[in-house]
């Protein structure tokens, strides 16, 4: 029997674009608010769980370790996890496990995302989640597959673009009462329909915005919760499932992974009929159709009839029988990926304890469900929560919270504050393995190839050496199949892989094509060509158009595109077993590639003060009463006590000539591993009566010798950036 676990405090920053704060500063602000709301101090927290989506957003390798200070995890049991967009609801599941097990009384759950550094657009980071060999060469972005999934959803369940636009109107309107909201606004269906088309049927206002932000909640066992919280909100059920990354092998209309995760959570919570037993819903809504798509999963209803009836009866609003996204969701509040799901958990805490202020739904609510989703349309994370008393008059910091009360500073442009550019040299050479080598050799021969599992008889494309449905049963049988198929869904796209608009008048047609000879709905994603726009439709019969044999290289682009089959055109129905390609030094080649991303980082609130003073020849820090010392560099929070510091009011000048070398090393390579023309000596320098240290390059004159304890002085530099922090040995006066 597990311990009962409750949410007893929440904190969050504003969800904004180009936040002045650094990732750690954003996390720290959310943590400080959550602790205040819970009535606890950092010393009361036994463990910390951190969730961020893949590191490519923040552009910081091992981002979880980087965030340990801002998340309050210094010298505490600390674990980081991520499952893409599903992270924010997996985070409290992770924390719940720690407390429910009895190992810890209080667990701090923190989620953060700073997406703005990723250039040319944060959406470009999504290219890293596609298969590097069979999908990345098609210049895919998530908007393309969302367009195809949205089209499939509409085709299956009969929703129109105008009907789905109503979800954008609902969520953005709900967000008007949320203090963290990035783009809360009162809009109309016409406003959504008239917004720029990106990849049919996806329009600009169908999508949530790119955001920077952080969210935190405090989880406690029942004894602590009843002692510290007037109206604790308990976690009654949790569930999480991941489907295969082969997204072309699934019916995109229904999120089976969400339904399975919901089933697990409902079973734990004793929910038999979610459409009757749950009062409030927070489905994940990065696109408007996804709210309904996920609601079908939460209802565990593949038919979609229950949701359709509620939608047609206008019962999904805050005054309806089944309110969805009363927070405003990702569409209205914003979508700093990992923090978004935890914002939804916080919303259930507010709603079920009567702290939602203007957003409080009209009907009496006792039970709620939050859900998040991510990666290659494959993650389902679900949490069921319940409150015992709805007390909307309870004195609460959240009931009257406004956007002016929440931290988080937006910038119009990153150039407004000290910033640093970085273009990493991400080059790779991916090994293909036996199954993929056979697949790629088929392209060179002008053949589409599959492998067959003799347990479930699935003919799988792309071929794999195992069956994910049959206990990873080895698969050894390979076949040439037809290069014809049927379009399952499609999109007309006007955006490139980085979400930039294609040149005017240019568009790409992407489709998921179910291949003849393969198992049902087993196919590939590719371009369509030789087709008039008016003839594009689901159900089209198509055939591969191959490059000339001499131009083929053994890759997905050996197929130029798929064209419509002509009326009466004869096609082969032959499926021929073949011998798989033998792996040797010739056939077992790797697939070269690169990730074309670069980053622009802000220095943060503390960093801005530090570098501005540095340009004036001053070395500044921030005095902390908790430590009774000066933090250096300047900081807007103390990681030991997780208390806020004011970098201006608490600024202290440190003698730039009072440093001592704490450690040093000679560096022969740059950060990309390339040899430097001349080695550099990098030193760690500490200063008297300060907490922290500075790293920089030591300028050595001929004959200079450095050692631990050597006295150094800071060299003045008018340029901002860590690479411009330099020291020289302090010469002894004669």
């Amino acid at each position: 029997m597990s311990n009962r676990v409750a949410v007893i405090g929440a904190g969050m920053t504003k969800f904004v674009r180009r936040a002045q704060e650094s990732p750690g500063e954003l996390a720290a602000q959310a943590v400080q608010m959550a602790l205040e709301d819970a009535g606890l101090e950092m010393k009361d927290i036994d463990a910390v769980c951190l969730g961020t989506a893949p590191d490519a957003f923040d552009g910081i390798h091992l981002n979880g370790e980087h965030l340990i200070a801002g998340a309050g995890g210094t010298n505490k049991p600390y674990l980081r996890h991520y499952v893409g967009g599903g992270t924010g609801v997996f985070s409290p599941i992770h924390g719940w496990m720690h407390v429910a097990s009895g190992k810890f009384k209080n667990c701090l759950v923190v989620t953060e995302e700073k997406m703005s550094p990723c250039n040319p657009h944060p959406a470009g980071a999504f290219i890293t989640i596609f298969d590097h060999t069979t999908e990345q060469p098609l210049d895919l972005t998530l908007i393309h597959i969302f367009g195809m999934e949205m089209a499939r959803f509409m085709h299956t369940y009969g929703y129109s673009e105008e009907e789905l636009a109503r979800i954008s109107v609902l969520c953005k309107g709900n967000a008007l009462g949320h203090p963290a909201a990035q783009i809360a606004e009162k809009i109309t269906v016409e406003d959504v329909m008239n917004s720029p088309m990106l990849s049919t049927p996806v329009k600009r206002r169908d999508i949530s915005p790119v955001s920077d932000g952080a969210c935190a909640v405090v989880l406690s066992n029942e004894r602590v919760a009843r002692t510290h919280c007037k109206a604790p909100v308990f976690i009654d059920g949790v569930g999480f499932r991941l489907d295969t990354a082969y997204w072309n092998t699934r019916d995109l209309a229904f999120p089976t992974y969400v339904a399975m995760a919901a089933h697990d959570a409902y079973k734990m919570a004793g929910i038999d009929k979610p459409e009757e037993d749950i009062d409030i819903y927070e489905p994940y809504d990065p696109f408007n159709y996804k709210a309904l798509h996920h609601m079908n999963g939460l209802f565990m209803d593949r038919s979609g009839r229950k949701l359709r009836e509620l939608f047609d009866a206008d019962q999904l609003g805050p005054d309806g029988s089944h309110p969805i996204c009363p927070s405003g969701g990702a569409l209205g509040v914003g979508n700093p990926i990992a923090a978004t799901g935890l914002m939804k958990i916080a919303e259930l805490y507010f709603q079920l304890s009567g702290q939602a202020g203007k957003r409080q739904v009209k009907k009496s609510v006792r039970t709620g469900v939050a859900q998040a989703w991510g990666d290659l349309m494959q993650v389902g994370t679900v949490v069921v929560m319940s409150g015992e008393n709805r007390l909307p008059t309870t004195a609460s910091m959240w009931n009257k919270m406004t956007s002016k009360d929440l931290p988080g500073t937006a910038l119009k442009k990153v150039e407004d504050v000290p910033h640093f550019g970085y273009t990493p040299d991400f080059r790779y050479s991916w090994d293909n393995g036996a199954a993929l080598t056979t697949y790629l050799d088929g392209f060179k021969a002008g053949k589409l190839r599959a492998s067959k599992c003799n347990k479930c008889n699935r003919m799988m494309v792309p071929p794999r050496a195992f069956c994910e449905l049959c206990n990873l049963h080895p698969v050894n049988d390979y076949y040439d199949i037809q290069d014809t198929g049927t379009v399952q869904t499609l999109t007309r796209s006007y955006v490139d892989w980085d979400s930039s608009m294609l040149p005017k008048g240019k568009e790409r047609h992407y489709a998921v094509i179910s291949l003849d000879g393969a198992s049902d709905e087993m196919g590939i994603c590719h371009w369509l060509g030789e087709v008039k726009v008016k003839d594009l439709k689901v159900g089209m019969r198509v055939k591969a158009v191959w490059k000339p044999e001499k131009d083929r290289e053994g890759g997905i682009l050996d197929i130029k595109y798929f064209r419509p089959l002509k009326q009466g055109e004869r096609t082969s129905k032959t499926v021929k077993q073949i011998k798989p390609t033998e792996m040797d030094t010739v056939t077992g080649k790797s697939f070269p590639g690169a990730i074309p991303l670069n980053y622009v980082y802000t220095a943060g609130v503390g960093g801005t003060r530090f570098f501005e003073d540095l340009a004036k020849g001053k070395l500044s820090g921030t005095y902390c009463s908790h430590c009774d010392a000066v933090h250096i560099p300047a900081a807007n929070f103390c990681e030991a006590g997780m208390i806020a510091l004011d970098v201006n009011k608490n600024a202290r000048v440190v003698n730039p000539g009072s440093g001592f070398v704490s450690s040093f090393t000679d560096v022969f390579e740059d950060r990309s591993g390339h040899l430097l023309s001349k080695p550099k000596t990098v030193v760690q320098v500490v200063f008297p009566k300060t907490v922290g240290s500075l790293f920089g390059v030591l300028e050595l004159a001929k004959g200079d010798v450095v050692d631990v304890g050597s006295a150094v002085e800071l060299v003045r530099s008018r340029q901002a950036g860590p690479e411009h922090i330099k020291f020289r040995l302090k010469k002894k006066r004669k």
Side-chain angles (χ1 to χ4, degrees), residues 404-417:
K404 294 180 181 179
D405 300 315
L406 284 187
T409 309
L411 298 172
K412 289 185 178 179
K413 52 183 180 179
V414 72
E415 291 78 11
D416 292 342
V417 296

Side-chain angles (χ1 to χ4, degrees), residues 173-196:
N174 285 351
L176 288 168
H178 201 295
Q182 180 175 353
I183 52 167
E185 55 184 345
K186 187 175 182 179
I187 60 172
T188 65
V189 168
E190 289 72 24
D191 292 329
V192 180
M193 295 300 295
N194 291 331
S195 61

Side-chain angles (χ1 to χ4, degrees), residues 275-304:
E275 71 278 11
E276 297 177 9
D277 298 339
I278 293 174
D279 301 311
I280 193 168
Y281 303 81
E282 276 284 347
Y284 196 50
D285 59 315
F287 287 61
N288 51 21
Y289 82 94
K290 290 301 288 186
L292 301 184
H293 186 245
H294 290 146
M295 281 297 291
N296 279 341
L298 291 173
F299 280 163
M300 300 184 296
D301 178 21
R302 187 176 290 273
S303 75

Side-chain angles (χ1 to χ4, degrees), residues 12 243 334 461 508 518 570 656 711:
M12 65 186 71
D243 207 334
V461 179
R508 290 195 185 114
R570 298 183 64 182

Side-chain angles (χ1 to χ4, degrees), residues 462-710:
R464 38 257 201 206
F466 60 89
C467 178
E468 68 268 29
L469 300 185
C470 296
N471 293 320
L472 302 183
H473 178 70
V475 173
N476 301 303
D477 297 330
Y478 290 80
Y479 294 81
D480 282 343
I481 62 173
Q482 298 99 300
D483 64 354
T484 54
T486 303
V487 171
Q488 295 294 306
T489 185
L490 56 88
T491 184
R492 294 173 58 195
S493 178
Y494 305 94
V495 294
D496 210 340
W497 67 271
D498 60 358
S499 291
S500 63
M501 299 302 293
L502 294 171
K504 190 174 182 180
K506 186 176 181 181
E507 59 184 78
R508 290 195 185 114
H509 302 155
Y510 288 94
V512 173
I513 300 161
S514 179
L515 295 171
D516 296 338
S519 296
D520 289 346
E521 298 175 349
M522 183 76 69
I524 63 174
C525 177
H526 215 297
W527 300 313
L528 297 177
E530 295 184 38
V531 58
K532 295 179 181 178
V533 169
K534 67 180 181 64
D535 295 329
L536 289 168
K537 62 180 180 179
V538 173
M540 285 176 57
R541 296 281 295 146
V542 293
K543 179 177 175 59
V545 175
W546 296 87
K547 287 181 178 178
E549 185 175 0
K550 64 180 179 61
D551 296 332
R552 296 181 205 146
E553 298 179 345
I556 190 70
L557 297 185
D558 289 338
I559 297 178
K560 296 167 65 176
Y561 48 79
F562 281 78
R563 64 163 176 85
L565 276 171
K566 298 173 180 142
Q567 189 172 6
E569 182 177 358
R570 298 183 64 182
T571 61
S572 169
K573 294 185 179 180
T574 302
V575 174
K576 179 183 177 183
Q577 187 166 9
I578 62 167
K579 181 180 179 181
T581 303
E582 294 184 5
M583 296 286 288
D584 56 33
T585 56
V586 177
T587 61
K589 63 182 181 180
S590 59
F591 189 90
I595 298 176
L597 301 176
N598 59 79
Y599 297 89
V600 181
Y601 306 104
T602 57
V605 176
T608 295
R609 175 66 194 243
F610 173 74
F611 286 115
E612 285 177 347
D613 283 349
L614 205 62
K616 299 173 185 176
K618 295 194 303 182
L619 178 58
S620 68
T622 311
Y623 176 73
C624 173
S625 59
H626 179 271
C627 302
D628 192 23
V630 175
H631 284 252
I632 185 169
N636 81 334
F637 67 93
C638 168
E639 69 177 275
M642 291 309 294
I643 61 173
L645 303 177
D646 190 315
V647 297
N648 296 315
K649 291 181 180 179
N650 301 121
R652 296 291 188 274
V653 175
V654 177
N655 182 357
S658 63
F660 292 89
V661 173
S662 174
S663 63
F664 67 95
T665 185
D666 290 328
V667 176
F668 295 85
E669 297 178 341
D670 65 16
R671 64 177 98 186
S672 297
H674 302 140
L675 283 175
L676 296 170
S677 58
K678 183 180 179 181
K680 293 180 180 179
T681 298
V682 176
V683 291
Q684 180 183 15
V685 178
V686 296
F687 296 85
K689 298 181 180 180
T690 63
V691 174
S693 61
L694 292 182
F695 284 87
V697 174
L698 182 65
E699 296 181 340
L700 291 171
K702 187 175 181 180
D704 282 348
V705 177
V706 62
D707 203 347
V708 172
S710 295

